[in-house]
Amino acid sequence: TINEFVPNAAVQDRNITPQSPNSESRYGLDPELLPSAVKVIAEDRAEWEGKVFVSEPFSRLPPLATTSCIIEDRGNASPFSIRSASYCVPCEGQTALLSCLPLGALVTPLAKQTAEEKPLPVCKEPECVMGCGWCGASMCPAMGWQDCGQRFYCPFCGKLSEVPWQHYQPTKGVEGVRVDKDKRPELSMGSYEILSSQKGEPAALLLAIDVSASALRGGHLEFATQQIITLLTSLSREDGDAMSDVRVGLMTYDSRIHLYDLNPALSRPHMLVITETEDLQLPVREGLLVSLKNSIECIDSVLQLIPQFSPECDDSSGVPMELPVKAGLAVLQALSCPGKLLIFHTAPLIEMGHAKSSSGFFGSNKPKSIFQPSELAVSLAKECVSQGCGVHLFVLSQQDVGGAWPGHIPYLTGGALYTYNHLQGELDRERFSTDLKRIVETDTGYKAELRIFVSKDLRVSGCYGLFIPGPSPGQVPMATLDWFTTLAVELAHTRALDETRGVAIQAVLSYSTQTGDRRTRVHTLTLRCSHHLQDTFRQYQAQTLLTFYCKKIYCAALERPLQELREELQTEATEALASYRKHCCSASVSAGQLVLPQYLRALPVYINSLRKSEVLLPGLRSSVHQRLQQRCQVLSMDACSTSTHFYPLLLPLPLSVDSSNSPNSEEALRCCAASLEPTGLYLVHAPLTLLLWVGTQVPVCTLVKLFNTSCFSSLPSGETKLPVLENPLSVSVRSLINTLNSQTPCARKV
């Protein structure tokens, strides 16, 4: 039977909670009696934390995305690579519409394996059994073998394909399993990789540094260049590492482009100045990208000189951010290689073509959203995608309110935007160093294409995430992506499904590695089907739905009014719960009572958090730039980070530490004001924010141990850094903060 959460009903049922006589909410509900997201997470962790989940075809609902467990692949991809919205798909489209919940999956193509899990098996392309010749799907355990192994049935197009004689093996048993199944990952594993025999150009690292008058006056270029030198020097010394011999290029810019010929055969590096920036023509190609290991001295000498440059032109009107992107792209195109373009920008930002006018937002009568990128930004991003160029923009000075937001191109190419306040404070400098190191060292896929295949009776109706849409929803080109990049795929019925065959979903990512290897990563998920609506509701998880809705709604924000999206979100969630109550509820309940399936207990809380997010419902203190940034950051998150973003972990910290009460990231409280005691210390953990909350009545001895002060009023409000003190409380709290920071893709302010 399905477990249900029904507040205010009879006490006899353990899943039915009585109503409190002293309701604290203006809606007549006691918040303590409403479903708790923290309790759902804790129950799942108690069941699965540190244990093995066997992922096999038609397997049961996996652990939540927030639970750390070991995944054993026995023919179904890990839920951390591809996670279905429901693990039981309704057979008929009418039943799916009746549920009012979406069908789809979350795909994280380059998801990392944990240390306890087996590494992803790799097979060489000539030795791998070929996939379907009709639709292009890759070989997987979902294929059905016929005629003693001479042909196989493809569930994605419903056609039969011949097996080449080189790869033929007979089948055995009633189920027709190939005799070599256990020896071939493409026949037995839900996830595997194919190494292509063709090799492309290795990826490059291109650094573009703003040397305009405002950059040289700012005084922060010396620190930035020193950090770059330190990082490159450490990389060049790591023998055997893919980054130790990466090709590096340098350029500087103001209103012109300065390229550097770093050929080690030259007596000293040569500067090449390009004044015609409209139609960029490279004077030379040799020496623009050089081996880091062989040319570290040349690179070092140029970087040392950059802070000593003299300003040669006035930048009061601003420098277009598109200028270094066009130049970097031209270098990569000339040398036919993908790469990362790191731009260190200081001058006021303007849109190219609008140097003497305001932003093009109000330039036409066509209705626009504040989230829409300009046509020039999209055009340039498309060029970056086709070349495999990921743009990372470091804005080293705080920009004025208003003006062009420079983040569209970075985020559409798999990069990101990082902002600092002239790198003046110690905290700003630490964040810069951490961000720079992570960007350069993160394993990245270049020039990628993701293709989604689904059972022949389904179709891909939409794909949502941070990318430029491809020719079809099931085909997504990307400049770069990393282990964190997640997309949502929406499915729809074309005809009724066969309950005996189930449903297969396959995500195939073709990409290049840092060293130029061309690889194809395949993830296949096989799900059950059912004619019963109750089975479908039972196999949904609130965190997955939250992530799916977030990506879909945030993508729709480009074209539709925000109020309309908020109302649509509320209506969909309400209708889904009403449908469950009407068609599936087994308990006898009265009108007005909340009835929820077991794994959707936290859905109302999550949906309300999404509705009230700053992107959809801006607060008084949120700027347009902050909302644009947050939308892009959240769009690329996986299910674990998304759920923690919308419902942060509230972690109580001990006032003193001994062996029995050290801080624990697993012991979260309900994220509400009632959980905060004036005598307590709390850490609020979300992917983009880390808040340390100190109660007014915290003992003086605790303040001394943690902050080295005895006065509450002298504590700094705002961004801070805990002093390094040698006592158990300080050590344990700083250790917890470092652990939480290591789980996020960017450095956070505390």
Side-chain angles (χ1 to χ4, degrees), residues 456-675:
K456 65 183 181 68
D457 298 326
L458 293 173
R459 64 181 175 86
V460 178
S461 59
C463 193
Y464 313 109
L466 211 49
F467 57 86
I468 295 173
S472 69
Q475 191 174 349
V476 180
M478 290 179 278
T480 60
L481 76 164
D482 55 27
W483 62 270
F484 196 66
T485 308
T486 303
L487 299 86
V489 180
E490 188 168 21
L491 309 178
H493 287 75
T494 54
R495 59 179 69 88
L497 296 166
D498 184 349
E499 192 170 8
T500 58
R501 287 190 183 274
V503 165
I505 305 172
Q506 187 178 84
V508 180
L509 179 77
S510 301
Y511 70 101
S512 293
T513 63
Q514 178 66 48
T515 54
D517 291 332
R518 194 70 191 168
R519 293 180 175 237
T520 301
R521 185 169 293 198
V522 182
H523 301 294
T524 309
L525 188 64
T526 312
L527 308 169
R528 293 188 294 111
C529 290
S530 176
H531 291 282
H532 304 292
L533 186 59
Q534 189 177 22
D535 294 337
T536 301
F537 271 109
R538 187 186 302 181
Q539 299 296 314
Y540 274 103
Q541 288 177 329
Q543 290 182 355
T544 312
L545 280 176
L546 168 69
T547 310
F548 182 91
Y549 278 131
C550 171
K551 293 186 186 300
K552 184 176 180 179
I553 295 291
Y554 277 17
C555 284
L558 287 174
E559 299 173 350
R560 295 174 57 191
L562 299 184
Q563 183 176 349
E564 183 182 306
L565 293 174
R566 292 196 303 270
E567 290 172 356
E568 181 180 300
L569 186 62
Q570 179 174 317
T571 302
E572 282 192 28
T574 306
E575 287 179 349
L577 298 181
S579 174
Y580 175 77
R581 178 192 181 92
K582 180 179 179 181
H583 301 287
C584 309
C585 181
S586 58
S588 176
V589 293
S590 60
Q593 289 179 330
L594 182 64
V595 186
L596 296 163
Q598 180 184 4
Y599 298 109
L600 294 183
R601 283 178 290 168
L603 186 63
V605 175
Y606 285 147
I607 294 297
N608 208 35
S609 298
L610 175 56
R611 280 182 62 245
K612 293 183 177 182
S613 64
E614 281 199 280
V615 175
L616 298 181
L617 190 67
L620 294 175
R621 297 182 182 178
S622 58
S623 70
V624 172
H625 283 197
Q626 287 171 337
R627 294 171 63 203
L628 287 162
Q629 174 96 343
Q630 191 176 113
R631 173 186 171 272
C632 291
Q633 288 174 318
V634 176
L635 258 178
S636 64
M637 287 181 182
D638 58 9
C640 176
S641 297
T642 303
S643 59
T644 311
H645 171 76
F646 288 107
Y647 195 92
L649 293 179
L650 178 60
L651 308 173
L653 300 177
L655 302 180
S656 61
V657 171
D658 54 38
S659 58
S660 62
N661 68 339
S662 57
N664 188 353
S665 61
E666 309 295 324
E667 298 174 357
L669 303 175
R670 269 195 170 193
C671 197
C672 61
S675 301

Side-chain angles (χ1 to χ4, degrees), residues 74-136:
R74 289 193 190 169
N76 241 18
S78 164
F80 296 105
S81 298
I82 179 168
R83 183 181 291 267
S84 178
S86 174
Y87 277 73
C88 182
V89 180
C91 289
E92 294 86 14
Q94 197 60 38
T95 310
L97 291 174
L98 199 61
S99 73
C100 300
L101 289 174
L103 290 179
L106 304 177
V107 182
T108 311
L110 293 181
K112 290 193 296 189
Q113 277 73 39
T114 62
E116 296 84 6
E117 293 172 1
K118 294 179 181 177
L120 215 61
V122 179
C123 52
K124 295 180 180 178
E125 190 175 32
E127 302 167 4
C128 189
V129 180
M130 290 174 59
C132 179
W134 298 97
C135 66

Side-chain angles (χ1 to χ4, degrees), residues 205 207 223-224 227-228 231 235 340-344 392-396 411 415-421 423 426-442 444 482 629 633 687-688 719 741-742 744-749:
L205 180 64
L207 308 171
F223 174 79
Q227 290 301 307
I228 295 170
L231 178 60
L235 287 176
K340 292 177 184 175
L341 172 59
L342 275 57
I343 301 173
F344 304 88
H392 296 264
L393 177 60
F394 296 79
V395 178
L396 305 181
Y411 282 111
L417 170 68
Y418 308 88
T419 55
Y420 310 91
N421 187 15
L423 299 179
E426 181 188 355
L427 299 174
D428 233 19
R429 294 187 169 200
E430 277 188 16
R431 275 200 306 121
F432 175 80
S433 302
T434 305
D435 287 333
L436 180 63
K437 192 171 189 297
R438 283 188 183 178
I439 290 166
V440 173
E441 295 183 349
T442 297
T444 304
D482 55 27
Q629 174 96 343
Q633 288 174 318
L688 307 178
E719 187 179 3
N741 280 337
S742 67
T744 59
C746 60
R748 299 179 295 179
K749 297 178 181 180

